Amino acid sequence: QVQLVESGGGLVQPGGSLRLSCAASRSIFNNYAMGWYRQAPGKQREAVATITRSGITNYADSVKGRFTISRDNAKNLVYLQMNSLKPEDTAVYYCWANYRSGSWGQGTQVTISS
């Protein structure tokens, strides 16, 4: 069973920053692309950012220039640095691995509110 464990969510004011972390097993981390998705209330889950094994990144237009995805190969961690946060970024954020048509973490809540 794939284990993806997210951390780092919370409540932040607009304009603030958060960093999410996703811990994965070494076999998943080393062999599959990973990324972050989010799901806001009443909306479909959407891709936020992905990163390949070689470090090629891709971002949703709505977060380009504000969010950065990265990998720590020594720690088997994937990060999502989120800056200039907006209320519309409020959602449950899920770690994803491109394993068996998609594997998911349990999600972490990110709330942007004053």
Side-chain angles (χ1 to χ4, degrees):
Q1 185 177 357
V2 175
Q3 272 201 319
L4 301 172
V5 181
E6 303 101 334
S7 60
L11 172 63
V12 177
Q13 291 187 341
S17 298
L18 277 175
R19 188 178 76 163
L20 306 182
S21 300
C22 174
S25 65
R26 180 169 292 276
S27 62
I28 295 298
F29 186 87
N30 287 345
N31 293 294
Y32 298 94
M34 296 186 65
W36 292 91
Y37 282 65
R38 67 186 181 187
Q39 187 166 18
K43 295 188 176 181
Q44 288 189 329
R45 192 172 296 190
E46 62 176 359
V48 175
T50 59
I51 186 166
T52 66
R53 291 178 296 162
S54 59
I56 298 172
T57 59
N58 192 43
Y59 296 93
D61 288 343
S62 60
V63 306
K64 282 181 181 176
R66 301 188 297 122
F67 291 12
T68 302
I69 189 170
S70 61
R71 304 171 65 113
D72 185 329
N73 293 332
K75 298 181 179 179
N76 299 341
L77 291 171
V78 176
Y79 299 109
L80 185 67
Q81 178 66 44
M82 305 185 293
N83 299 328
S84 302
L85 284 161
K86 305 176 181 180
E88 51 264 43
D89 294 317
T90 295
V92 178
Y93 283 69
Y94 295 91
C95 183
W96 165 86
N98 190 22
Y99 173 74
R100 291 188 176 177
S101 302
S103 298
W104 304 93
Q106 81 285 357
T108 185
Q109 177 70 46
V110 172
T111 302
I112 313 304
S113 175
S114 55

